[in-house]
Amino acid sequence: MNNNQNKDNSKHLYGFLGLHLFVYSIFNLGHPVTPQFIININAPIFMTGLLFAVMSLAQFTFAPFWGQLADKFGTKIMFIGPLGYCLGQLGFFFFSDPLLLILFRFLAGTFAAITNTVHFAYISEMTNNNNRSKFLGFATLIIPIGVFIGYIAGGYVGDLFNPRFSFLLQSILAILAALALYFYVKAPRVSQRVSLRSIKFNIIKEDYIILKRNNDTCLKFILLVTFLNIMAYQLAISQVAVILANQFSFKTTFVGLFIAFFNLFGGLTSFGLQKVLFRSKRALHTYLPYLSLLSVGCSLLASLVIFFNPSLMWIGLMLATLLNTVFLATVQDLLVKIDFHHELGALVGLNQAVQGLGMVAGAFLGGILVSFYIFSPLVASALVFFITFIINRFVVRKQINLSLSKVNS
């Protein structure tokens, strides 16, 4: 690829990152108003955690399927994501029945999995070894910035009108995002060998086949670390809005600003840390155990909200978001390095599925714990992060090093 092509690709990718930000902002418009919406319809307190868990379960179930579809037909299929998400969120505008809300949230999660999977695969396809880490870092950084924009806008609309209007705004903007992606995204060439693969609808079986096919790599160990770390992170993050709305009776605007700003500060700060780590001579995956260990302290700091006002919780969660953002970027980089079977979409999809499973476990457990003692998810988060560090440092890190040395020899 010559210099002019590199420059054109970089310009295109910067434009794509703008759309990436737009989509993630839309996807976060409904989260700050959900606890108040649950209160308004007289649903039990654990519904917020259950809805988040259901959405994550859908992502776990369907992310590998969308990854397969992207490998076979090309990553341009990503425009389908916001369209399906629009349908799922419309249910929250029209209905109040908890069972219906669960079904619509599962639908939204099914299509959100496209965005979480195919966007990163597209960036990997459109970059080379020299700039891949940079653009994957940008894409990961954009996630908390999207949370910042979405939470502020969604919380404000929820207070100004009604929580249901935040869901309506999501649906309208999602259609615009789908159109923008359809016309902007290029269609990278799909190799004939990959295009001839059939789509496997038995997703659990296909996940097993992908793992077996990649048994010569460290994929299973990456997935183990991913699951544990995301579970610990979601234990705390998924219940923040519930704690603020139910324990401190803050309005949706404040909830939105609180969560938006710790995501923004955490994301922006992580960008600087990523630059340092990516330039380091050490292999990136060696930092994973220490990211988990530092996250233990962050969760414990957030837990001090039991004794003090929410400001310490804000600092702890901001730092946890910083570390989680770096963790995600590091894992994405590691997946690219072990893609020796030319199925990056499937690998990213499987990793996203495991992230979804971690979110299900974290959000569901957090929702149950918050019903017994409202601050318990924060304490449980610190405990799971510590377990993650132990397994990561003394088991997974060794296996990753061993696997990579075999591949590189």
Side-chain angles (χ1 to χ4, degrees):
M1 187 178 291
N2 59 41
N3 289 335
N4 288 334
Q5 287 176 316
N6 280 330
K7 289 180 181 179
D8 289 341
N9 261 5
S10 292
K11 288 180 181 178
H12 174 80
L13 283 168
Y14 282 121
F16 175 73
L17 289 174
L19 290 177
H20 183 66
L21 174 60
F22 182 49
V23 173
Y24 271 97
S25 299
I26 294 168
F27 282 10
N28 283 285
L29 285 167
H31 293 318
V33 301
T34 299
Q36 186 60 50
F37 176 69
I38 295 303
I39 293 171
N40 291 351
I41 64 174
N42 297 314
I45 186 174
F46 64 78
M47 271 294 293
T48 300
L50 179 60
L51 289 173
F52 196 94
V54 165
M55 188 172 186
S56 300
L57 178 63
Q59 294 185 48
F60 161 71
T61 305
F62 287 97
F65 169 75
W66 296 121
Q68 289 182 68
L69 220 62
D71 283 337
K72 185 175 178 64
F73 298 109
T75 47
K76 194 176 177 69
I77 67 163
M78 69 177 73
F79 79 93
I80 301 172
L83 284 180
Y85 192 83
C86 163
L87 296 176
Q89 294 305 95
L90 277 176
F92 284 75
F93 179 73
F94 289 110
F95 303 108
S96 299
D97 181 75
L99 181 58
L100 281 176
L101 296 180
I102 290 171
L103 292 175
F104 275 102
R105 183 50 60 92
F106 187 86
L107 177 65
T110 298
F111 287 93
I114 301 178
T115 296
N116 296 333
T117 301
V118 182
H119 280 211
F120 287 96
Y122 181 71
I123 291 170
S124 298
E125 288 176 345
M126 298 296 292
T127 52
N128 53 44
N129 291 332
N130 295 326
N131 63 0
R132 183 171 293 117
S133 295
K134 178 180 76 171
F135 279 104
L136 286 174
F138 281 145
T140 307
L141 169 65
I142 276 172
I143 295 176
I145 296 176
V147 173
F148 170 78
I149 297 172
Y151 267 80
I152 287 182
Y156 179 74
V157 170
D159 267 347
L160 187 62
F161 300 103
N162 183 287
R164 290 185 189 271
F165 281 88
S166 294
F167 300 121
L168 178 62
L169 180 62
Q170 271 189 306
S171 301
I172 295 171
L173 294 178
I175 295 174
L176 297 179
L179 290 172
L181 288 172
Y182 179 79
F183 288 108
Y184 187 81
V185 170
K186 298 178 181 178
R189 183 181 300 174
V190 179
S191 71
Q192 186 175 4
R193 182 177 66 176
V194 175
S195 66
L196 291 175
R197 291 178 185 166
S198 59
I199 300 298
K200 308 296 183 182
F201 292 94
N202 188 336
I203 297 170
I204 302 300
K205 180 180 178 181
E206 181 60 18
D207 288 349
Y208 173 76
I209 292 172
I210 294 171
L211 274 172
K212 188 175 180 181
R213 188 162 56 235
N214 287 272
N215 200 42
D216 55 341
T217 73
C218 52
L219 177 63
K220 59 185 175 227
F221 301 104
I222 298 173
L223 298 180
L224 174 61
V225 174
T226 295
F227 171 78
L228 292 171
N229 206 85
I230 294 298
M231 176 183 173
Y233 180 67
Q234 287 301 322
L235 261 169
I237 295 298
S238 65
Q239 302 307 313
V240 175
V242 177
I243 292 171
L244 294 174
N246 290 271
Q247 182 67 22
F248 297 100
S249 301
F250 288 123
K251 293 185 177 296
T252 61
T253 299
F254 180 87
V255 173
L257 288 169
F258 185 96
I259 299 175
F261 274 102
F262 79 64
N263 274 279
L264 179 67
F265 277 80
L268 290 178
T269 309
S270 76
F271 180 65
L273 182 57
Q274 286 179 52
K275 290 179 68 175
V276 173
L277 294 183
F278 287 158
R279 291 174 181 173
S280 171
K281 294 181 180 180
R282 293 184 61 180
L284 289 179
H285 68 271
T286 60
Y287 294 105
L288 291 176
Y290 304 109
L291 294 174
S292 297
L293 181 60
L294 290 171
S295 296
V296 175
C298 296
S299 291
L300 289 175
L301 181 61
S303 300
L304 292 178
V305 70
I306 298 171
F307 309 105
F308 303 101
N309 64 48
S311 59
L312 287 176
M313 183 171 72
W314 186 93
I315 295 172
L317 295 176
M318 182 273 290
L319 293 173
T321 300
L322 182 162
L323 297 172
N324 185 65
T325 305
V326 176
F327 169 84
L328 291 174
T330 303
V331 168
Q332 291 289 341
D333 180 74
L334 192 53
L335 288 175
V336 174
K337 291 177 180 176
I338 67 166
D339 180 29
F340 299 104
H341 300 282
H342 308 289
E343 52 180 355
L344 183 61
L347 294 186
V348 175
L350 182 57
N351 183 66
Q352 181 59 41
V354 171
Q355 286 186 45
L357 187 60
M359 290 178 184
V360 171
F364 183 74
L365 181 58
I368 297 299
L369 291 174
V370 82
S371 299
F372 291 98
Y373 178 54
I374 199 160
F375 300 116
S376 57
L378 299 173
V379 179
S381 173
L383 177 61
V384 177
F385 269 128
F386 182 71
I387 295 171
T388 304
F389 163 72
I390 296 297
I391 296 174
N392 198 346
R393 176 64 181 84
F394 297 104
V395 180
V396 176
R397 178 177 172 180
K398 179 180 178 181
Q399 293 298 328
I400 291 177
N401 285 333
L402 182 62
S403 300
L404 288 178
S405 65
K406 288 180 180 179
V407 171
N408 294 327
S409 62

